[in-house]
Structures are given as C-alpha cells and as structure tokens.
Amino acid sequence: MAVSDEAFPARKRRPSIGAFVSPNLSDQKLLQSLFLLSQDVSSRQPLRILLRKNSASVIRKSRLISVLFEELVRNPVIVFPPSAALCFEELYIVLQRIKVLLEDCSTCSRMWLLMQIPSISSCFHHLIVELSTLLDIFPARELNLSEDVEELLNLIKKQCSEKYADCVDAGDENLRAEVLKMLENIKREIVPDHTKLSAIFERLNLCDSASCSGEIENLEDEVQNQNDDKSKADIIALIGLVRYGKCVLHGASTPRIATRRQKSAAEANIPADFRCPISLDLMRDPVVVSTGQTYDRSSIALWIESGHATCPKTGQTLAHTQLIPNLALKNLIAMWCREQRIPFDSTEVNVKPNGVALNKTALEAIKMTVSFLVNKMTAWSQTAEVIDRLVYELRVLAKTDSDSRTCIAEAGALPLLVKFLASENPSLQINAVTTILNLSILEANKARIMETDGVLNAVIEVLRSGASWEAKGNAAATIFSLTGVHGYRKKLGRKTRVVKALLDLAREGPTNPRRDAMVAILNLAGDREAVAKLVEGGVVDMVGEVMDSMAEEAVAVLELVVKRGGVMAISAAYHGSMMKKLTAVLRDGSDRARESAAATLVNICRKGGSEMVAELAAINGIERVVWEIMGTGTGRARRKAATLLRILRRWAAGLIGEHFSTQHSATTLDISTRIVLPA
C-alpha cells in the first residue's frame, strides 16, 4: 500500500507535567483535586467526528468516578491509610492523562487522527484498564465507605471491564481503510473517484474551502511534531490529498486582497547564531565547510563558485569544497521560524540522491491538483472572480515546496499567468505576480521565466505601473530572485526600464515594497555594467534620500556602487554630505549597517583621493566614532575601522597626496544575498 498501517506512529504530544507526576498535596487537598479533575473530564463532550465511542466511554466512566469522589469529599476521612493515598495519587495521574488525550484528539488534524485510529483506540483502552486496576485495589473497607458508595464503586469496576472491541467504532476503521486505498490509487496515478472523495470529506466534516484550509494548516503543524522523515512524508501525502479535495470539491479559496506576504525574516529579531556570516540573513539551509564554520548553502556556494578557496569568516584555505548539512541547526531555525510565524520550507518532501521523490503519493497529489487548477483556468466561461480564486490557489501551492513549483511550471501555468499580470483587477494582478515570484525561487524555473515569451516584460510592467504597491513590491522581489543567476543579473542590469522602476519604487513606496526594490538593486550592483546604469539612473541620489529610513539597505547598496566604480558620482554630487550621513550610520546604525558604512568610507577614501579624505577628517568626532567601531563592531567592521583610522592618521601626517590611491589587499565579502520568502 502507499501508506501502511505502521506508517502512522502515535502523535508526538505535548502533555503538561501533571500528566506524569502525582501532585504533592495533603490528603484532603488531593481528594479535592481528584474531585475537580474528574469533574473537568466528565464535563467534556465526546469527540464528534472520530473516536466518538472511545471518548464517550472514558467520559462516562470519569463521570461515575466524579460522583464517587464527590461522596468522599462530603464525608471526609481524617487520615487516609497509606494504600489509599497511593491509589489516589495514581488515579490523579491516569485522569490527567485522559484529559490530555481528549484535548489532543479534539485539536489535532482530522486526517492524521483518522490514520492513528488503531493506536489512539489502544491508548483509550489502556487508560481504562489502568483505571480498572486501580479500582480493584481501591481500599473501600479501610475508608469505611457507605453501602451506596460501595455499590457505585462496583458499578464503575464493571464499566471498566468492558472489552476493547466494544469501544471501537467500525465506521472509523472503514473510513480509514477508504483513505488508505485512495492514497494507494493516487500513488498509481489514479484520479480519486469524486463521489468517494466527497463522502470522505463529508464524514470528516471538511465541508467547505475554509475548513479544508484549516485542516491543511493542522497537518503542517503535525509535520513539525514528527521526528522521522518517513512520518513527515506520509503527512505531506495527506496534505496533498486534502488540497486536491479542497480544490475539486469546494473550489479555490477566496483571495485575501488586503494582506501582505507573511512576516519576513528581515522584520524579526534574528538570533545571531541563525544568521549567515556572509549575508547576515536568516539561514534556510545551513551547511558546514571544512573549517567547521556554518553558512547558508546559497551564500557559501556563490562564494565558492566566484573562485574563492578560503573560508570567508576565518580566512583559512578550504581543504575541500564539500558542504555538510547542519541538520541540528536547521531544526532549531525551523522551530524558531514557526514560533515567529515566519515561512520556512521545512515541509518539503525529501529526495534521494537520484532525484526520485521519497513519497510518490504526495507528488502525484500535487500533479493532480495543479492539473485541475490549470485546466479550470483555460475554460473560456470562467468569470474574473473565479479566475482570481484559481490563481490565488496556485499562489498558495507555489509557496509550499519545490515539487509544487516544478509541477506548476511544467503544467504550462506561466503563459496563462502572463495575461493576468495586465489585469485591472488589483487582486488578480497581485496573485499572478506573486505566483511567479514563488515559482522563481526554484532555480529551474528562473530559466522558464526568462525564456517564456512575454513573462519577463509583463513582470517589468507590473514593477513600473502595477495596480498596487504590493504588486510592485512582489514584481521587484521577482527581479531580485532572477538576478541570483549571474547571466540574468547582467541582462536585467542593462534594462533602463528595470533600473528606473526599481529606483522609483525604492524612493516612493511603502516600507516593504521599498525593501524589495532595495535588495533587487543590491543584487544588480554586483555587476559592474549594471552599476553604470544605476549611477546613470540616480542611485546615489536615491541612497541619500532613503539613508535615514533604510540605513542597512542603503549603505549596502552604496558599498557595492562605490566598489564597482561609482565613487565619482558621490564626489560630484554630494561632497561632504554623504560622508556625514555615513558617519551618522557608523555612530548609530545596526551592526550590519556600521560594517557596510565602514567599508564604504574606506573605498571612498581610497578611490576618491585626498579631497574625500579631507571631507571625512573634517567631520567632528570622526576618530572617536572609528575607535568605538574598533572596540564594539563585528570582525569585518573592526578591520575596516582600523584601515580607516590609518588613512586618517596618514592624511593628518601629510602622507596622502592629491592622487592618493592604494591597492586594497584585505579580503572583503562582496556577496549580497537575501532569502526570497514565498508569498
């Protein structure tokens, strides 16, 4: 079968400590706590959709136990015999475990709960057996129970002696078998029968698009609760089934027009250990190099591909260029992202070295869903509202993992999306451009976007004159993603329309779209020819305008522009004002901004001549600021500050002439990277 019975181990729960430790209470307080706990459990409603018989059985027994303890509370024994105290403590633990199990079953994914029917039913049965054992040793005589209470105790014992089969709902087992069979058929590329699929979803009360979306979110949470890759992959197969059923049975989701992309890593206070030493951004795929240092895979790979043979952080020569995944750190980062509600591609199906997906069921479910959506989009009778919902569903799917991005592109979605980029409907335009952005995260799709007729030009038009700031920002983020490929960076950097549109957005847009534009400009500035276009378009003016509000991005752009020949634009246009702005960043900026500001000032002084050094030296308190960086800055900032101090001292000593220039021998990190977050 596609997913065997054993493929679904018991869910990793998060019970309270009280589920396993008896309370350290006096006899009377323990009795009172038992009464309250049994009341709490007995007041709950049986599970409505699955495990109804199991939950109803254990709640009914808890209700009887509650009556028993109510009688004991009303007629308290002054001192419990030791056997009674021990029995009560154990009863407290069992009741607490029952409470946790009921809570867990009521809040988790229905599909995942269905797959665990045998193990969860067994858990309920084992808890009832434990209750029966404790009631058998209950010291009734030593507590001098009344005849009525003893009769109640015997009734509870009888209730707890029922057989396991009496508590299991055959309907649950049959439904589980149906789902397992459907997963097997999907693996064999057999499209699920519409009637059977509808019956399963109706039975699980997945009755509309919203409930299906909630179920998908719950399943994604379950992925995080599993430790082994097999279980994660099997849950992802269930996600594929629910997503397919949602689209086929209930139609695509209604787009959320007014929302921005999920919280980005740039907006969070990222722990230092989670930042890549090269990009200073959140690591998505941390890897270890031969020196033992950890970097984000994309950043260190680009560093090595650029011809460097040293470790960027230590300067040591790399013994080899193998990149070893740091799985422990990746798991910690994934957990942190989940807490911060930052997207993290942790639910992707793992692949074998030969590229074959570990879970064919999940892959086939994705293909079926994409095929359904794309075919619906091509139907001539669809209204604009329906098209918008279909594109939004593709956008959500493209956000999930690389398999989905591959399937969407291979299904021919890009040519269809092009015509929606020119739509006057703001929601449809946003969803179309954001889908392309999410597709562009996959390297293979970058080539498809660049080569598919009309796609790039349509994205550029949205960047220039999109119907909303969000559409423009996501178009800028798409440009950034494409510039991750060196050849595409050169091609895009030559386009005056791209450069002008990015500079305009960086000046005028709201914070998030401006940031998208700035990082795209930052990537373009990695190419010398593109820098010439940027300078011609007024990048130095733009940096000066946004320095106060976006210091990190502005200084990073300026650093690359100066490094690749743009220093004369600063000298001609700004004289000392830019130096003062950079000094202000040195004094008050973030670690990352101060590092870039120090490096920029070094290059300005070296390439701008003695006039620029004089401008810097004339700034009040500059040496004190440089000394402070040398003491408190990052490693690179301290090195640059030391170089800057030497330049200032040489100028003060008259050792720097009009044509001052020196070869920059220190290794600098000129790789600018940023994670493109699925939108």
Side-chain angles (χ1 to χ4, degrees):
M1 298 183 73
V3 184
S4 65
D5 289 0
E6 293 76 18
F8 294 94
R11 182 168 180 254
K12 182 183 176 184
R13 299 179 184 82
R14 297 162 296 281
S16 65
I17 192 67
F20 304 109
V21 180
S22 59
N24 185 19
L25 300 172
S26 65
D27 290 349
Q28 296 306 319
K29 287 187 176 181
L30 176 58
L31 189 61
Q32 183 70 26
S33 297
L34 268 169
F35 171 56
L36 294 174
L37 179 57
S38 59
Q39 270 197 326
D40 184 1
V41 175
S42 63
S43 66
R44 297 172 183 270
Q45 294 297 317
L47 300 173
R48 293 187 303 109
I49 299 171
L50 298 169
L51 296 163
R52 185 175 182 83
K53 288 182 68 174
N54 280 282
S55 58
S57 174
V58 76
I59 289 172
R60 184 169 59 250
K61 294 167 178 59
S62 298
R63 191 170 294 128
L64 292 173
I65 291 173
S66 174
V67 176
L68 172 64
F69 283 112
E70 184 178 11
E71 290 296 325
L72 291 174
V73 169
R74 285 179 180 176
N75 303 285
V77 177
I78 297 176
V79 179
F80 289 162
S83 58
L86 180 60
C87 184
F88 288 170
E89 289 177 357
E90 293 299 320
L91 277 170
Y92 184 93
I93 294 174
V94 174
L95 286 171
Q96 186 72 10
R97 288 167 59 195
I98 290 172
K99 175 184 174 182
V100 169
L101 183 58
L102 288 170
E103 290 175 344
D104 207 42
C105 290
S106 65
T107 57
C108 76
S109 154
R110 297 165 198 172
M111 275 287 185
W112 185 233
L113 188 62
L114 177 65
M115 294 297 102
Q116 296 180 92
I117 288 293
S119 61
I120 297 294
S121 295
S122 179
C123 286
F124 275 112
H125 179 66
H126 288 156
L127 288 170
I128 290 174
V129 169
E130 288 187 44
L131 280 179
S132 179
T133 301
L134 291 171
L135 292 172
D136 283 339
I137 64 172
F138 194 88
R141 291 183 180 177
E142 297 177 42
L143 292 171
N144 297 317
L145 298 181
S146 67
E147 187 176 331
D148 289 342
V149 176
E150 284 205 36
E151 286 182 6
L152 177 61
L153 180 59
N154 290 330
L155 175 61
I156 301 172
K157 289 179 182 180
K158 185 177 180 180
Q159 290 272 341
C160 290
S161 64
E162 64 186 353
K163 295 180 180 179
Y164 170 73
D166 295 335
C167 298
V168 177
D169 193 329
D172 291 351
E173 288 287 355
N174 292 336
L175 183 63
R176 180 173 180 273
E178 283 292 322
V179 172
L180 289 170
K181 183 178 180 181
M182 189 166 287
L183 291 171
E184 172 66 17
N185 286 338
I186 290 174
K187 179 182 179 182
R188 295 176 178 175
E189 303 180 29
I190 300 173
V191 177
D193 179 84
H194 188 283
T195 303
K196 291 181 179 179
L197 186 67
S198 178
I200 290 171
F201 274 54
E202 183 177 349
R203 175 74 170 77
L204 293 174
N205 201 28
L206 300 175
C207 53
D208 53 31
S209 182
S211 60
C212 290
S213 296
E215 175 68 4
I216 291 170
E217 290 179 6
N218 285 338
L219 284 167
E220 289 172 344
D221 285 343
E222 292 297 337
V223 174
Q224 301 290 342
N225 290 330
Q226 301 303 317
N227 291 322
D228 61 292
D229 292 340
K230 180 72 168 62
S231 295
K232 291 181 179 182
D234 288 335
I235 298 173
I236 293 169
L238 293 175
I239 293 175
L241 174 62
V242 176
R243 184 173 282 121
Y244 175 78
K246 168 178 173 283
C247 293
V248 172
L249 299 176
H250 306 306
S253 304
T254 301
R256 297 187 294 270
I257 299 176
T259 59
R260 168 70 185 171
R261 292 200 305 264
Q262 292 185 50
K263 183 178 179 181
S264 70
E267 298 169 294
N269 185 19
I270 304 172
D273 291 340
F274 293 175
R275 288 184 181 271
C276 173
I278 295 176
S279 69
L280 298 182
D281 282 325
L282 180 70
M283 288 188 279
R284 302 283 166 161
D285 188 8
V287 293
V288 180
V289 297
S290 62
T291 60
Q293 300 297 324
T294 298
Y295 302 92
D296 200 27
R297 184 185 295 275
S298 60
S299 296
I300 189 63
L302 184 56
W303 171 261
I304 294 171
E305 289 169 6
S306 299
H308 297 90
T310 58
C311 172
K313 194 170 182 180
T314 65
Q316 295 175 265
T317 300
L318 296 174
H320 56 77
T321 57
Q322 290 180 322
L323 305 177
I324 303 170
N326 191 335
L327 297 179
L329 180 59
K330 184 174 183 178
N331 288 335
L332 289 174
I333 294 173
M335 290 172 61
W336 178 82
C337 284
R338 187 181 174 201
E339 292 171 359
Q340 299 292 321
R341 301 193 66 79
I342 293 173
F344 187 84
D345 282 349
S346 58
T347 60
E348 292 196 19
V349 178
N350 289 322
V351 294
K352 297 177 181 177
N354 62 7
V356 179
L358 287 178
N359 192 310
K360 190 173 188 295
T361 308
L363 183 59
E364 292 304 324
I366 292 170
K367 289 180 179 179
M368 291 176 185
T369 304
V370 170
S371 176
F372 174 83
L373 292 170
V374 170
N375 288 338
K376 279 281 187 181
M377 287 167 58
T378 59
W380 65 271
S381 59
Q382 300 289 11
T383 65
E385 180 183 356
V386 172
I387 289 290
D388 189 23
R389 294 174 65 182
L390 292 168
V391 175
Y392 176 77
E393 203 64 45
L394 277 182
R395 165 184 174 174
V396 173
L397 190 56
K399 167 186 169 181
T400 56
D401 53 51
S402 57
D403 285 330
S404 298
R405 295 173 194 126
T406 299
C407 291
I408 292 170
E410 290 180 347
L414 280 171
L416 296 175
L417 291 170
V418 170
K419 50 185 181 180
F420 305 136
L421 291 176
S423 172
E424 295 181 358
N425 181 336
S427 175
L428 180 54
Q429 187 182 74
I430 289 170
N431 289 323
V433 74
T434 309
T435 303
I436 293 174
L437 166 61
N438 291 342
L439 292 176
S440 74
I441 296 172
L442 187 67
E443 289 300 310
N445 283 346
K446 288 179 170 61
R448 290 187 175 104
I449 291 169
M450 294 294 291
E451 295 167 8
T452 300
D453 188 38
V455 176
L456 180 60
N457 284 333
V459 171
I460 294 172
E461 283 306 307
V462 173
L463 175 63
R464 294 178 63 203
S465 56
S468 66
W469 289 116
E470 182 178 355
K472 290 183 177 182
N474 286 347
T478 305
I479 297 297
F480 164 81
S481 179
L482 296 172
T483 56
V485 177
H486 181 69
Y488 302 155
R489 182 191 306 168
K490 294 182 75 68
K491 182 176 180 178
L492 290 165
R494 295 192 193 105
K495 293 182 178 292
T496 303
R497 291 187 305 154
V498 172
V499 171
K500 184 179 185 305
L502 288 173
L503 291 174
D504 289 344
L505 181 59
R507 285 190 182 98
E508 302 168 5
T511 300
N512 284 323
R514 288 170 69 197
R515 183 174 286 114
D516 289 325
M518 288 296 286
V519 295
I521 292 169
L522 188 63
N523 244 18
L524 288 178
D527 179 71
R528 189 172 293 275
E529 291 182 36
V531 166
K533 280 283 186 184
L534 287 168
V535 170
E536 182 183 326
V539 68
V540 177
D541 291 330
M542 181 275 294
V543 166
E545 292 172 25
V546 305
M547 184 82 78
D548 293 337
S549 58
M550 302 182 69
E552 281 194 12
E553 293 84 353
V555 178
V557 167
L558 192 63
E559 179 186 354
L560 284 179
V561 168
V562 169
K563 187 174 183 179
R564 284 166 172 75
V567 69
M568 298 315 296
I570 296 173
S571 177
Y574 277 88
H575 300 289
S577 62
M578 184 62 76
M579 306 290 266
K580 290 177 181 178
K581 286 179 178 288
L582 289 170
T583 303
V585 173
L586 273 184
R587 183 175 55 249
D588 302 320
S590 64
D591 286 346
R592 184 178 181 180
R594 295 165 82 193
E595 180 180 304
S596 290
T600 303
L601 285 170
V602 167
N603 279 325
I604 288 176
C605 289
R606 282 178 162 159
K607 298 183 178 184
S610 58
E611 181 181 349
M612 301 301 288
V613 180
E615 292 280 4
L616 179 62
I619 296 174
N620 188 36
I622 180 62
E623 285 204 15
R624 184 176 67 252
V625 174
V626 173
W627 273 109
E628 183 180 341
I629 298 294
M630 290 173 64
T632 63
T634 64
R636 182 173 179 240
R638 290 197 298 269
R639 293 194 301 272
K640 294 298 181 182
T643 302
L644 202 57
L645 185 62
R646 286 197 299 272
I647 291 173
L648 290 170
R649 292 286 173 84
R650 291 181 64 194
W651 180 85
L655 299 177
I656 294 179
E658 182 179 353
H659 302 290
F660 164 70
S661 178
T662 184
Q663 182 66 33
H664 183 20
S665 59
T667 301
T668 58
L669 305 183
D670 58 357
I671 298 175
S672 59
T673 60
R674 171 180 179 263
I675 302 299
V676 177
L677 297 175

